[in-house]
Amino acid sequence: MADIFKPEKGTQVLDAVKWAVSNKASLEIIGQGTKRGLGRAVEAKAVLDMSNISGITLYEPEELVMTARAGTPLTEVQAALDDANQMLAFEPWSPKSIYGAEGGTVGGMFAANVSGPRRILAGAARDHMLGFKAVSGRGEDFKSGGRVVKNVTGFDLTKLMAGSMGTLGVMTEVSFKVLPKPEKSRTVLLFGASSETKAMIAAQSSPYEVSGYAHLPRSMAERSSVDYVKNAGQDVTAFRIEGPAPSVTVRCEALRKLLAPLGESVEELHTTNSQALWAEIRDVSYFTPEKQIWRLSVTPSEGPEIAKSLNGEYVLDWAGGLIWLALDPSDDAEVDKVRGAMQSGHATCMRAADAVRAKIDVFQPQDTALAALTKRVRAGFDPHGIFNPGRV
Amino acid sequence: MKMPKPDQDIIARRSEIIRRLQAIVPGDGVITNENELSVFECDGLMAYKQLPMVVVLPESTQQVSNILKACQDMGVKIVPRGAGTGLSGGALPLADGVTLGLSKFNKILDIDLDNRCAVVQPGVTNQAVTNAVMDDNFYYAPDPSSKIACTIGGNVAENAGGMHCLKYGLTTNNLLGVEMVLMDGDVIRLGGKHLDAGGLDLLGAITGSEGLLGIITEVTVRILKKPQTARAMLVGFDTVAAGGNCVAKIISSGIVPGAMEMMDKVAIDAMQRFVDSGYPLDVEALLVVELDGPEAEVDYLVERIEQISKDVGSTFLRVSQTEQEREQFWKGRMSAFPSIGRISPDYLTMDGTIPRHRLPDVLTRMNELSEQFGLRVANVFHAGDGNLHPLILYDANVPGDLDKAEEFGSEILKLCVEVGGVLSGEHGIGVEKRDLMGEMFTEDDMKQQQRLKCAFDTSGLLNPGKVYPTLHRCAELGHMHVHGGKLPFPDIPRY
Ligand SMILES: Cc1cc2nc3c(=O)[nH]c(=O)nc-3n(C[C@H](O)[C@H](O)[C@@H](O)COP(=O)(O)OP(=O)(O)OC[C@H]3O[C@@H](n4cnc5c(N)ncnc54)[C@H](O)[C@@H]3O)c2cc1C
Ligand SMILES: Cc1cc2nc3c(=O)[nH]c(=O)nc-3n(C[C@H](O)[C@H](O)[C@H](O)COP(=O)(O)OP(=O)(O)OC[C@H]3O[C@@H](n4cnc5c(N)ncnc54)[C@H](O)[C@@H]3O)c2cc1C
């Protein structure tokens, strides 16, 4: 068993990394380890458990900003935001359905750039992360960004840290933007769309500011907990409308009119049902535990056709730009078929047994020049490759 | 402001360098004569001027790649340039450097309404992107005041903002992909029509990198459907603090207006005198707030903001009743620069960001500084996101005035950092704020940032002397200062 360091303050994180650097020992960085199934399993000399570097250090609701230590549980962040009627607008998914573990930490959420359905309107985790403090693989403290939204002061290392999967540095503190919860949330459902591609394009080309576009083929819709969706008996395409009450009413009505000719019928979900449906979509709760899961980010208008061509179970989010694909287990997760189906974009194997993930490129391989550049960027932060070796 | 010392050896090899460039870019694409070069001698930071050694205007990615390869070969520095509207000297030429202009990259390559994006060359102006999709009721959201002139490539390099960035985000939030050429000639593509590039977010990292990481040769941006309606409000206050308070109340009540601008008395007067915009002359602070969306939403939010304004004691309130009136309300703010130009021979445009609630303090301190330096200051702010644009009025013909103005500017930016803000919200560091970077960052912070540059540009030839006060060689930055001996197991709670 690897040693587990569990630092309680930032200086101890620095000590642990300095030790690792000087001993050429590798470290697996974890928050609560809820997303360990993402990327390859890491074999490191020691585990750096950040869960005790915890606590919200600044929350100014009227400034729409929060700063929290990296190990702060998301439940704590969520509770504080709920109290002030605010939210993380990028709608991070819970690792529950995919990895079976609940929770997660602030550091882990940003390191994995976890973003949900509202990403299409409000941006991803990376768009909301404002600044951070971290320890590099050189054993040095460094920071970038700040606590304000507008900032062009030096290179934007903040974006780089978001989604870096712990391969550049150990984040100790993160500042991020928070937003008021919408007053009201409703969802227009289109049943039996004659072309979900056309329906989603029509809604996107409308001025109604749809904050979520998803498509559930009939067999997936039947697994929903929302009766209107479950009992539809056909494919369901969902469009979420949020905002001040009078605006939501008007936009829903207009959207229903726009969509009605594009399928069999339309329905509307009210706040409670609407929230339940988008939580399911966000957390990808439709697939059974034995399935291998892929996440494909593609050109939105091509999503539906790509998804169909892959002969698996799937759900579309981001107006077709995000395909959640579930395949029967195989020893290579059908990697060639999956990546072969896309012209551009990227596919990530989100869930498969350790042995399968060890065998394949979990993340999309890059062309030579880009791969070389990525390698040089990493080396600038972690020259000895001590952080999460092998994970990406 | 000191620039790196020109390399006399390079200057001596000028004709050889010109020949190599001419072999790559035939015809009029290589500019060598002094008259024509003088067009490029500065950007929007006009206090600094320098003739470039040569200007090259390539028209294909292949040419850009060949130029960079050749220059890396010869050890020649490159300064990328869009329209040269930058306000921090990012495109300031180097005496021993080649200015690489993107003006011939002026084509719109693909408009894909189904995927709400446009693929354009970097020399296309910001406004031209909107113009290209306007007939279909789409637009490109980031709207710097310089949008008629500035290029998309320059916008990416500066992470440009604008009035409507409060609701719709900065360049970085509206950018889907780029093609870019590295100093060694490698061509890379980041992102595309899909969301979130795979791998490290290099797209995010190159946005706002001020031409230090690579030459952007193609850009894919998100375009948005035009809102159904928009209305603007003018709200005036007796004190700046009351105006700041109103902004805070609007935001904390959950409203994110399309735009929310504020100006102080000096600015209001100058603008209203320049063009009749309906601004009251008897207020200390004025807000221009724009709401956009479906009519029902706009009407509802206008009402709520009217209520908030009254609650915080506004002394003036007008809501646009027609599209014409909305445009009128914006006229003054849109012509901030020429209006100030009318009341002062010269001015410096500052650009810092602060946490919104510190606005009243910062303004008080700024007024004290104004007295101390004996220079007037006019203030326009992107109030919603705390981005300040103090305009320092001075007269370049008065000896010592520019120095004083610059010192005043530095003090304002230090103040921004002191209250938890940053040195630049949208204009970039360039040469202008380069020597202030130490106010925000430690030596280690800056070295870590420069290691990113080394990954993109090992030779350090791309736009040197900008952004970072000290130039470190990449080999030096790669050096590890770790204990020779192994450190003992640290004393940390373990399991
Ligand atoms: C006649 C009727 C029709 C319903 N139709 C739907 C439906 O189409 N989709 C759905 O998801 N749920 C529907 N419901 C269920 C009901 O909206 C939920 O159970 C309610 O509790 C949801 O509250 P909310 O806060 O989520 O709704 P909100 O969206 O916040 O709605 C605000 C209020 O309006 C009421 N309301 C909403 N829709 C109707 C309606 N069509 N007629 C009368 N009152 C209404 C709600 O009960 C709630 O009190 C309907 C209920 C009734 C009695
Ligand atoms: C009147 C006026 C109003 C302004 N208002 C605003 C405003 O509201 N908001 C705002 O954000 N800015 C504003 N600006 C500043 C300026 O317009 C922006 O920074 C703009 O993005 C610069 O674009 P440009 O094409 O002129 O770039 P340039 O000035 O030519 O270059 C800017 C930087 O980008 C680099 N660069 C340019 N093109 C490329 C490329 N293709 N590849 C790599 N690097 C490149 C240059 O090396 C330089 O460092 C204003 C300027 C003026 C003069």
Side-chain angles (χ1 to χ4, degrees):
Chain A
M1 231 328 258
D3 273 295
I4 301 178
F5 292 120
K6 206 163 176 177
E8 278 160 359
K9 45 186 193 232
T11 52
Q12 293 177 338
V13 178
L14 185 62
D15 285 347
V17 175
K18 278 188 169 157
W19 167 81
V21 173
S22 82
N23 290 275
K24 301 234 168 15
S26 51
L27 292 174
E28 179 186 12
I29 309 165
I30 63 166
Q32 293 172 352
T34 58
K35 293 179 280 294
R36 262 181 164 153
L38 176 54
R40 295 203 194 100
V42 173
E43 266 178 48
K45 179 93 177 165
V47 172
L48 182 55
D49 178 335
M50 295 294 288
S51 59
N52 278 346
I53 305 288
S54 177
I56 295 170
T57 52
L58 176 147
Y59 180 27
E60 291 173 3
E62 68 290 349
E63 292 273 322
L64 309 181
V65 62
M66 185 183 278
T67 304
R69 295 198 184 90
T72 311
L74 288 177
T75 45
E76 188 178 326
V77 170
Q78 206 61 60
L81 290 171
D82 283 343
D83 276 348
N85 202 28
Q86 294 191 329
M87 63 173 185
L88 297 171
F90 51 94
E91 233 182 341
W93 40 264
S94 146
K96 178 92 187 354
S97 320
I98 302 180
Y99 301 120
E102 232 157 333
T105 61
V106 167
M109 172 178 70
F110 284 106
N113 191 27
V114 170
S115 321
R118 206 183 287 103
R119 193 261 174 267
I120 192 151
L121 183 74
R126 54 90 84 174
D127 294 288
H128 293 78
M129 186 169 158
L130 301 174
F132 68 89
K133 289 183 184 156
V135 178
S136 74
R138 305 170 50 86
E140 290 164 358
D141 281 320
F142 73 107
K143 64 175 180 301
S144 180
R147 51 158 291 185
V148 292
V149 176
K150 278 182 108 172
N151 181 3
V152 195
T153 315
F155 297 141
D156 193 350
L157 299 189
T158 307
K159 295 277 185 306
L160 207 54
M161 290 304 272
S164 64
M165 296 299 298
T167 60
L168 300 179
V170 189
M171 286 189 270
T172 52
E173 190 178 275
V174 186
S175 292
F176 46 95
K177 183 174 157 182
V178 298
L179 281 172
K181 284 185 187 170
E183 213 174 290
K184 206 175 183 75
S185 165
R186 292 225 169 171
T187 297
V188 175
L189 301 177
L190 177 65
F191 297 130
S194 43
S195 154
E196 60 272 23
T197 313
K198 286 206 181 112
M200 290 192 285
I201 288 172
Q204 283 192 85
S205 306
S206 81
Y208 308 133
E209 282 191 15
V210 176
S211 74
Y213 307 77
H215 178 75
L216 308 179
R218 176 179 173 173
S219 57
M220 295 296 108
E222 281 167 357
R223 296 180 191 171
S224 174
S225 66
V226 177
D227 285 344
Y228 289 89
V229 178
K230 182 190 178 113
N231 302 327
Q234 43 197 337
D235 291 1
V236 176
T237 317
F239 305 84
R240 180 172 58 185
I241 298 271
E242 299 174 301
S247 166
V248 169
T249 311
V250 176
R251 280 146 69 211
C252 273
E253 216 168 283
L255 195 61
R256 287 177 72 142
K257 272 207 197 104
L258 177 78
L259 294 172
L262 303 177
E264 304 265 315
S265 60
V266 289
E267 231 352 302
E268 199 167 309
L269 294 184
H270 300 154
T271 305
T272 313
N273 281 333
S274 177
Q275 280 166 354
L277 175 66
W278 290 99
E280 287 174 14
I281 295 167
R282 179 193 69 204
D283 298 345
V284 207
S285 52
Y286 302 104
F287 307 138
T288 45
E290 84 286 357
K291 293 275 186 190
Q292 293 173 337
I293 300 180
W294 283 89
R295 181 178 186 269
L296 287 71
S297 177
V298 299
T299 302
S301 63
E302 293 167 5
E305 290 313 312
I306 294 172
K308 275 175 209 155
S309 77
L310 286 165
N311 296 322
E313 293 179 351
Y314 69 89
V315 172
L316 299 174
D317 195 355
W318 297 356
L322 181 67
I323 305 170
W324 288 100
L325 174 74
L327 300 173
D328 287 331
S330 62
D331 57 8
D332 67 350
E334 301 186 54
V335 54
D336 294 336
K337 186 176 90 177
V338 172
R339 295 214 167 104
M342 356 177 347
Q343 306 256 326
S344 58
H346 52 98
T348 308
C349 180
M350 298 295 289
R351 186 173 76 193
D354 285 3
V356 175
R357 285 181 288 122
K359 235 180 81 175
I360 64 169
D361 282 315
V362 170
F363 299 95
Q364 185 81 21
Q366 299 175 319
D367 68 37
T368 326
L370 188 53
L373 174 62
T374 300
K375 205 169 148 199
R376 294 196 298 271
V377 170
R378 283 230 164 87
F381 288 82
D382 179 15
H384 297 311
I386 59 169
F387 295 143
N388 289 349
R391 183 147 188 191
V392 295
Chain B
M1 186 66 51
K2 275 221 210 74
M3 292 307 285
K5 251 222 237 43
D7 183 337
Q8 293 305 328
D9 289 350
I10 294 292
I11 294 175
R13 287 164 58 203
R14 182 168 183 259
S15 28
E16 174 205 335
I17 294 163
I18 290 171
R19 270 197 309 279
R20 292 255 326 241
L21 293 175
Q22 281 167 336
I24 299 167
V25 182
D28 62 357
V30 180
I31 296 170
T32 57
N33 100 31
E34 199 165 313
N35 263 342
E36 290 175 59
L37 286 178
S38 66
V39 174
F40 299 88
E41 69 182 356
C42 65
D43 62 6
L45 182 69
M46 285 179 281
Y48 294 87
K49 294 195 163 75
Q50 169 64 55
L51 274 191
M53 179 171 66
V54 193
V55 171
V56 60
L57 306 173
E59 42 193 309
S60 71
T61 301
Q62 189 57 54
Q63 285 181 355
V64 173
S65 169
N66 292 346
I67 293 167
L68 294 191
K69 240 185 290 184
C71 285
Q72 170 147 311
D73 234 30
M74 299 183 286
V76 175
K77 297 168 187 139
I78 294 273
V79 178
R81 183 184 179 95
T85 67
L87 292 169
S88 54
L92 178 69
L94 299 171
D96 58 347
V98 172
T99 288
L100 190 157
L102 278 306
S103 54
K104 294 194 174 172
F105 278 77
N106 56 4
K107 286 173 211 61
I108 291 179
L109 302 174
D110 176 21
I111 288 175
D112 183 348
L113 297 181
D114 285 355
N115 290 299
R116 294 186 304 143
C117 63
V119 185
V120 304
Q121 290 190 322
V124 169
T125 63
N126 175 294
Q127 181 67 48
V129 179
T130 292
N131 290 350
V133 295
M134 210 160 53
D135 287 347
D136 293 293
N137 266 320
F138 281 88
Y139 74 114
Y140 175 59
D143 56 345
S145 316
S146 51
K147 64 188 175 189
I148 299 171
C150 66
T151 68
I152 287 291
N155 288 174
V156 174
E158 297 287 5
N159 190 17
M163 318 263 184
H164 288 85
C165 288
L166 177 59
K167 181 167 173 187
Y168 297 102
L170 307 158
T171 303
T172 190
N173 311 110
N174 290 275
L175 182 66
L176 292 169
V178 298
E179 175 192 78
M180 127 179 220
V181 186
L182 306 186
M183 193 65 211
D184 61 8
D186 273 358
V187 179
I188 57 165
R189 297 192 77 91
L190 304 171
K193 291 183 179 179
H194 54 278
L195 289 172
D196 297 336
L200 291 178
D201 188 2
L202 299 177
L203 183 62
I206 63 112
T207 309
S209 65
E210 307 197 35
L212 268 67
L213 298 183
I215 306 279
I216 297 151
T217 47
E218 188 191 289
V219 183
T220 305
V221 293
R222 163 74 70 227
I223 49 173
L224 299 179
K225 194 73 179 184
K226 254 187 88 178
Q228 282 173 303
T229 47
R231 290 173 81 185
M233 311 173 66
L234 297 179
V235 193
F237 303 90
D238 272 347
T239 62
V240 170
N245 195 10
C246 187
V247 171
K249 286 264 158 52
I250 291 171
I251 298 276
S252 65
S253 75
I255 304 173
V256 182
M260 182 149 56
E261 296 292 308
M262 184 160 142
M263 40 234 180
D264 70 1
K265 190 162 180 60
V266 182
I268 301 166
D269 286 0
M271 292 171 190
Q272 177 63 19
R273 279 178 223 292
F274 184 76
V275 49
D276 176 15
S277 312
Y279 298 169
L281 295 174
D282 57 349
V283 297
E284 288 296 319
L286 184 69
L287 284 180
V288 188
V289 188
E290 182 160 289
L291 286 315
D292 61 11
E295 212 170 303
E297 174 170 334
V298 171
D299 291 348
Y300 169 77
L301 293 179
V302 163
E303 241 170 71
R304 281 186 57 189
I305 292 180
E306 278 178 334
Q307 192 54 53
I308 293 171
S309 306
K310 282 180 194 140
D311 290 349
V312 299
S314 65
T315 55
F316 179 92
L317 196 135
R318 253 175 81 188
V319 183
S320 70
Q321 301 302 324
T322 60
E323 182 58 16
Q324 203 182 0
E325 196 175 16
R326 185 187 73 84
E327 280 168 11
Q328 191 203 359
F329 287 1
W330 277 114
K331 262 190 194 141
R333 176 60 186 89
M334 296 284 190
S335 35
F337 294 126
S339 322
I340 300 297
R342 184 73 71 82
I343 64 166
S344 173
D346 299 283
Y347 59 92
L348 276 186
T349 310
M350 307 310 294
D351 163 49
T353 307
I354 56 167
R356 266 184 306 268
H357 71 278
R358 300 304 300 268
L359 190 65
D361 305 347
V362 168
L363 281 182
T364 309
R365 298 267 298 274
M366 220 187 285
N367 287 333
E368 287 165 14
L369 287 168
S370 166
E371 268 178 34
Q372 186 189 321
F373 283 95
L375 292 175
R376 282 188 303 162
V377 59
N379 268 298
V380 292
F381 321 103
H382 302 304
D385 40 32
N387 188 191
L388 313 180
H389 290 317
L391 305 168
I392 300 174
L393 316 187
Y394 73 100
D395 184 348
N397 290 324
V398 176
D401 235 28
L402 171 62
D403 289 344
K404 253 199 314 189
E406 286 190 329
E407 210 182 313
F408 183 5
S410 297
E411 290 305 316
I412 293 175
L413 295 181
K414 285 181 194 165
L415 178 58
C416 290
V417 175
E418 186 193 310
V419 302
V422 300
L423 294 172
S424 172
E426 56 181 17
H427 296 165
I429 301 298
V431 295
E432 186 206 16
K433 284 156 261 179
R434 187 190 68 191
D435 295 347
L436 290 172
M437 284 286 275
E439 297 291 323
M440 239 181 101
F441 295 114
T442 65
E443 204 46 42
D444 276 354
D445 295 338
M446 284 188 274
K447 282 187 175 165
Q448 193 52 57
Q449 296 189 28
Q450 283 175 282
R451 285 187 194 101
L452 182 67
K453 173 157 174 70
C454 288
F456 280 81
D457 169 23
T458 324
S459 60
L461 291 168
L462 202 52
N463 218 3
K466 318 288 171 70
V467 186
Y468 297 101
T470 318
L471 285 173
H472 296 283
R473 304 256 310 278
C474 289
E476 174 204 338
L477 287 169
H479 192 79
M480 295 270 274
H481 305 274
V482 182
H483 308 255
K486 292 182 175 185
L487 288 177
F489 220 59
D491 184 23
I492 300 170
R494 246 181 283 143
Y495 297 84

